[in-house]
Amino acid sequence: MRTSTARRLLATTALLPVLALAACGSDPKIAGAAGTGGPAATAASEDLVSGLARSEAAAALLPEEVRRAGTLKFGSAFGAPPSAFYVDQVSKKPAGIDVDFTDAVAKLLGLTVQREEAAFETILPALDSGKYDVGTGNFGVTTARLRTIDFVTYIDDGQGFAVKKDNTALQPVTDLLQLCGLTVGTGAGTTFETTLNSRRNVCADAGRKPYEVKAFGESGALLTSLQQGRVDVEMSTINGLRHQAAQEASGTRFLGEFHRLDVGFALKKGSKLAPALQAAVNQLIKDGTYERILRKWGVAESAIKESQISPPEHG
């Protein structure tokens, strides 16, 4: 027999993101579906892309072999709103910020999207092998990634933290010293995990008990662990954690921004696709489609003024 608490936990796990996202406030290594109905599904039904016309100026920047092929191969990580998710698990209809920008850019370039779902941590290595032309997964632009990957930016997101709603002890995290002695949950293979692990020494250097990092790769595991008290705090994307906290059933509280990052289409280093993708994003900004997509997903604060190719990581 299931208790009401168990039912709530099961429902939450099924309907909400477990934000094990990546890249310093980016990359969705999230889990759980958005579920049918509700604000995410309503937003998903709003079509802002299909009516877009080809931009001859942007398309002219495509490499000849891509123009001839007529397709772009995307390796995409899916999880939960607002980044990329399935409206329902039966139809597997994709939706989210990443999906809208992918489809919009392809329309402007006169190309067909060939999208393959992939585990977040496998996408960037697969770009170098040529398996995918472009990677999407709310990938944040970091100094480490720029050594091997090029980016064409389209939003600004970043790192944040969340706790259970009834946890009032931890306030906005502006320094990792605030995490000393706590267990922090995040996504396996993400830059959140990298950030936490690379700075583990801050607590010991201050004579305090180090924080423990628990990395999750399975759908639902991170959020469930937070709800059940197995982790004290979760680190993930700003947009994802805000969305999660807005869902009452999650029982979480967003602690605010920690570090902002640009988010972009990921490309093999030196890819000749970058100028065309950049031109397409900038066309979306110019014609107003860009703002409409951000407002559709409730992330207007993530707007950028113009797309850039491989800008430096935010300081």
Side-chain angles (χ1 to χ4, degrees):
M1 182 174 68
R2 296 176 179 171
T3 64
S4 59
T5 300
R7 283 195 297 269
R8 284 198 301 272
L9 286 173
L10 287 171
T12 302
T13 300
L15 296 175
L16 293 170
V18 175
L19 293 161
L21 301 128
C24 244
S26 301
D27 322 332
K29 184 103 180 271
I30 27 193
T36 54
T42 300
S45 67
E46 183 182 2
D47 180 8
L48 299 175
V49 175
S50 63
L52 294 175
R54 174 186 165 107
S55 166
E56 295 301 329
L61 297 174
L62 285 169
E64 180 58 32
E65 64 270 20
V66 175
R67 190 181 300 109
R68 286 199 307 268
T71 62
L72 274 182
K73 297 179 292 182
F74 283 81
S76 302
F78 281 82
S83 290
F85 65 103
Y86 292 121
V87 178
D88 65 75
Q89 292 298 313
V90 177
S91 69
K92 291 283 187 178
K93 179 182 177 182
I97 299 166
D98 287 351
V99 174
D100 278 351
F101 279 120
T102 293
D103 292 348
V105 163
K107 287 283 289 186
L108 292 186
L109 295 177
L111 300 174
T112 299
V113 172
Q114 183 180 325
R115 183 184 285 116
E116 179 178 317
E117 181 180 5
F120 169 77
E121 63 270 22
T122 68
I123 293 174
L124 298 186
L127 294 173
D128 191 57
S129 71
K131 182 176 182 179
Y132 307 122
D133 299 314
V134 188
T136 61
N138 202 25
F139 285 108
V141 179
T142 67
T143 300
R145 283 183 172 157
L146 286 169
R147 297 188 186 106
T148 56
I149 298 293
D150 277 337
F151 291 92
V152 174
T153 62
Y154 56 92
I155 61 169
D156 185 63
D157 197 348
Q159 297 177 330
F161 292 92
V163 293
K164 288 176 66 176
K165 189 175 291 186
D166 60 4
N167 179 351
T168 59
L170 194 60
Q171 296 306 316
V173 177
T174 57
D175 192 312
L176 294 185
L177 281 170
Q178 293 170 251
L179 303 177
C180 295
L182 301 178
T183 300
V184 186
T186 194
T190 67
T191 57
F192 302 113
E193 183 183 19
T194 299
T195 295
L196 292 167
N197 286 333
S198 67
R199 298 174 64 184
R200 278 180 186 269
N201 63 300
V202 297
C203 296
D205 290 349
R208 301 173 63 179
K209 182 180 178 180
Y211 53 75
E212 179 184 357
V213 180
K214 286 189 176 181
F216 296 82
E218 294 183 2
S219 299
L222 176 55
L223 180 57
T224 300
S225 291
L226 181 67
Q227 292 168 329
Q228 295 180 348
R230 295 197 296 273
V231 300
D232 301 301
V233 58
E234 66 173 311
M235 186 180 190
S236 191
T237 68
I238 293 168
N239 287 337
L241 291 176
R242 277 183 173 147
H243 179 89
Q244 176 180 273
Q247 316 309 309
E248 185 177 354
S250 76
T252 63
R253 179 169 64 89
F254 177 54
L255 291 180
E257 300 180 7
F258 180 70
H259 178 54
R260 277 277 174 180
L261 280 183
D262 288 314
V263 170
F265 295 112
L267 304 166
K268 178 180 179 179
K269 197 71 177 176
S271 172
K272 295 179 180 179
L273 280 169
L277 292 175
Q278 180 192 33
V281 175
N282 283 331
Q283 176 60 35
L284 294 172
I285 293 172
K286 182 179 179 180
D287 69 20
T289 303
Y290 179 83
E291 182 181 5
R292 289 191 288 273
I293 290 174
L294 294 188
R295 292 193 177 282
K296 167 183 174 177
W297 295 110
V299 294
E301 292 181 356
S302 282
I304 58 174
K305 292 183 179 179
E306 65 176 356
S307 177
Q308 299 182 71
I309 296 174
S310 298
E313 179 179 345
H314 286 325

